[in-house]
Amino acid sequence: AILIRSVTSQEGLHGEDGMEVEAHGVGSYVAEGCQLVFAAPALGCAFYFGMELWLSRTEDPIQDTIGTVVATYMAFYVSTKLGISGVLTIATIGVLWARRGHLLVSTAEAHHMVHSVWTVLVYCADTIIFIWGGAVIAEKIFSTGAIFTAQDWGWMFFLYFCIT
């Protein structure tokens, strides 16, 4: 989905200065596709194996926790600076961690600490994303003067009951 969105978003768009973006040839699409499909997982593997090396040499729960957080955030930062998909890089680390990485944590105490820290980080990130998304949606609704109709409320409750 990221590849399709990235490739299709380049055609017929205008840049920030209002100028039309140049059409790209097939070669640039293939190069970008290869970069997204191969480079991001390769970088994710490199950071995962670095994290694995770190975790295999430490017995301290705090160092285990810091190693997982630093490797993950550093992988995202480096991948975005290189123009590679940070999402695919982190997804690769997550898949490898789920497969065998959690076995590298030295003690039960360290495993609990790593799990607790990541639980808090995920909770905070989800909260920020949903608050931000709600603010953006509210701003769009109120800035355009859109009014909710009875049909909108009906669809909202229908979706709510289908989801729950």
Side-chain angles (χ1 to χ4, degrees):
I2 293 172
L3 176 62
I4 293 169
R5 166 76 171 102
S6 178
V7 169
T8 58
S9 68
Q10 291 181 358
E11 290 187 31
L13 291 181
H14 292 61
E16 290 182 20
D17 58 356
M19 301 293 292
E20 187 169 333
V21 176
E22 287 185 33
H24 296 280
V26 174
S28 68
Y29 291 137
V30 171
E32 184 176 353
C34 289
Q35 182 181 9
L36 284 172
V37 172
F38 298 116
L43 187 62
C45 286
F47 271 95
Y48 170 78
F49 289 123
M51 180 174 58
E52 188 177 277
L53 180 66
W54 175 268
L55 292 176
S56 68
R57 295 177 182 211
T58 182
E59 298 290 323
D60 184 23
I62 294 173
Q63 287 186 6
D64 287 349
T65 305
I66 290 172
T68 60
V69 173
V70 167
T72 305
Y73 280 91
M74 197 63 147
F76 185 82
Y77 178 77
V78 169
S79 64
T80 54
K81 285 296 182 185
L82 293 175
I84 298 171
S85 173
V87 174
L88 290 177
T89 302
I90 299 303
T92 303
I93 292 173
V95 167
L96 292 172
W97 178 263
R99 176 74 177 141
R100 65 182 215 181
H102 59 76
L103 301 173
L104 297 169
V105 177
S106 55
T107 63
E109 178 189 5
H111 192 273
H112 177 70
M113 184 179 284
V114 168
H115 180 76
S116 297
V117 166
W118 278 105
T119 300
V120 169
L121 289 174
V122 167
Y123 176 77
C124 291
D126 284 345
T127 302
I128 290 169
I129 288 168
F130 282 104
I131 288 173
W132 189 11
V136 168
I137 291 170
E139 190 272 330
K140 293 284 185 186
I141 288 172
F142 293 121
S143 69
T144 60
I147 298 173
F148 284 110
T149 64
Q151 183 180 11
D152 295 332
W153 285 102
W155 278 111
M156 184 174 63
F157 284 114
F158 173 75
L159 289 172
Y160 173 76
F161 288 120
C162 287
I163 292 172
T164 58

